[in-house]
Amino acid sequence: MSEKVTAMIEEIKGLTVLELSELVHALEEEFGVSAAAMAAPAAAAAPAAEEKTEFDVVLTGFDAAAKIKVIKAVREITGLGLAEAKATVEGAPKTLKEAVSKDEAETLKKQLEEAGAKVELK
């Protein structure tokens, strides 16, 4: 691997989940591609017999009347500041937590749904 690519990978490792999401969206727009299209075949190739042990908690939407409650719940879960949590909620769908256990994912989902959010586990 070239030195330039290695340096970029090291830089990307230091980004937060929110920054990574922004980077992916910017690259998709710049090059007219979709990261989901590339990830789908890889996911389909995985053996179905394997039980999933790690889940991503994805905020897919929210009840407009409960927006403030959802922002508070997102802040509590992610540790983001108010502005970042608001941007995350308004920019749904967004991944809030990655590679968490099934129990933790279910707990977070319940907590967010009680606040008025629509949540998906992937």
Side-chain angles (χ1 to χ4, degrees):
M1 206 174 329
S2 75
E3 203 173 293
K4 192 174 186 180
V5 172
T6 304
M8 287 188 336
I9 290 172
E10 289 303 316
E11 185 70 29
I12 290 170
K13 283 182 183 178
L15 298 177
T16 65
V17 174
L18 185 57
E19 291 168 332
L20 282 172
S21 176
E22 291 172 358
L23 174 63
V24 169
H25 291 297
L27 290 171
E28 287 175 339
E29 286 179 23
E30 180 70 26
F31 297 106
V33 296
S34 172
M38 298 306 270
E50 241 179 79
E51 185 174 336
K52 195 167 182 176
T53 58
E54 293 184 338
F55 295 86
D56 294 345
V57 180
V58 180
L59 175 69
T60 58
F62 60 93
D63 180 13
K67 183 176 179 180
I68 293 172
K69 289 181 184 176
V70 175
I71 291 171
K72 286 181 181 179
V74 168
R75 284 187 71 194
E76 185 177 316
I77 290 167
T78 62
L80 293 172
L82 181 59
E84 293 88 356
K86 181 176 182 273
T88 299
V89 170
E90 290 174 344
K94 294 279 187 177
T95 301
L96 300 178
K97 289 276 190 171
E98 294 181 332
V100 295
S101 69
K102 183 175 183 177
D103 291 340
E104 183 179 356
E106 290 292 339
T107 302
L108 295 174
K109 180 179 180 183
K110 182 179 177 194
Q111 181 181 359
L112 287 162
E113 287 177 342
E114 286 174 356
K118 293 174 182 72
V119 181
E120 192 175 289
L121 300 179
K122 293 186 177 184

